[in-house]
Amino acid sequence: RAVSAARGVFERGDWSLSSPAKRKAVLNKLADLMEANAEELALLETLDTGNSGTTTRLISGILAAQDFDVTLTGDESIQKRPMKRIIDPLSLMGAEIESVRGNGTNAGTYTVYVKATKANAADSPVASAQVKSAILLAGLYADGETRVTEPAPSRNHTELMLSSFGADVRTEGTTVTIRQAEELYGQK
């Protein structure tokens, strides 16, 4: 709606016919309103995952390949959970992920800024189905082949699900490989 409204004003000539002083006043008022409502505006770009570490980690893999920025947060417990284990491999795949606190720790509140997702081979330092799944979900959008190797096998629910939806997923030992999926198909 905002874009349509702005386009309408521009097409009617209201903006271009306004004096520089009038345009300055409008822009200053807009800046004041944005500053006064900064917290509300920030919430519009924030995804609150509550107390779900699985949601936080898995949605990060999907978001890492999308063409918009989003801030992920959760309750006090989530904000203390280790997220660096997904931030690092997703960053190697092209996602720009920044800790909101700016301290590079494992803090569970971070912003995902996406540029591109590229295929990558990741060695997970821990056997974690959540870490593996985040990388595999990002790999659905990556050019080429994405591989995840764990120190030991973890649950394989995501691989089974993606395979049943038509994704090209292969497992050999503790390494799982996925190729970009043009389309997935729901099941009955």
Side-chain angles (χ1 to χ4, degrees), residues 18-167:
S18 299
S19 71
K22 172 85 172 166
R23 289 189 295 228
K24 177 184 175 190
V26 169
L27 291 173
N28 283 336
K29 178 67 174 173
L30 177 61
D32 291 343
L33 287 169
M34 289 175 68
E35 187 174 333
N37 296 288
E39 190 170 315
E40 185 178 347
L41 291 170
L43 289 175
L44 295 173
E45 295 181 355
T46 300
L47 178 59
D48 188 337
T49 60
N51 188 22
S52 178
T54 301
T55 300
T56 304
R57 292 188 178 108
L58 271 59
I59 199 81
S60 294
I62 294 169
L63 291 171
Q66 306 310 311
D67 193 22
F68 55 84
D69 300 343
V70 65
T71 298
L72 293 174
T73 192
D75 68 7
E76 189 175 319
S77 171
I78 279 296
Q79 292 187 30
K80 295 176 184 171
R81 302 273 302 273
M83 298 298 163
K84 192 166 174 47
R85 59 181 67 167
I86 62 162
I87 291 173
D88 288 347
L90 293 176
S91 295
L92 290 172
M93 294 179 77
E96 293 184 15
I97 304 175
E98 174 182 298
S99 168
V100 169
R101 293 177 181 86
N103 58 9
T105 67
N106 290 340
T109 299
Y110 52 90
T111 301
V112 180
Y113 304 99
V114 179
K115 287 208 172 188
T117 302
K118 54 188 176 206
N120 191 30
D123 289 329
S124 178
V126 293
S128 166
Q130 293 177 357
V131 172
K132 176 176 58 176
S133 295
I135 297 165
L136 292 175
L137 289 167
L140 283 173
Y141 302 92
D143 291 331
E145 201 171 77
T146 298
R147 289 185 315 280
V148 184
T149 302
E150 301 178 284
S154 65
R155 293 166 302 179
N156 65 348
H157 301 120
T158 301
E159 297 96 286
L160 294 174
M161 174 192 69
L162 291 173
S163 182
S164 75
F165 290 159

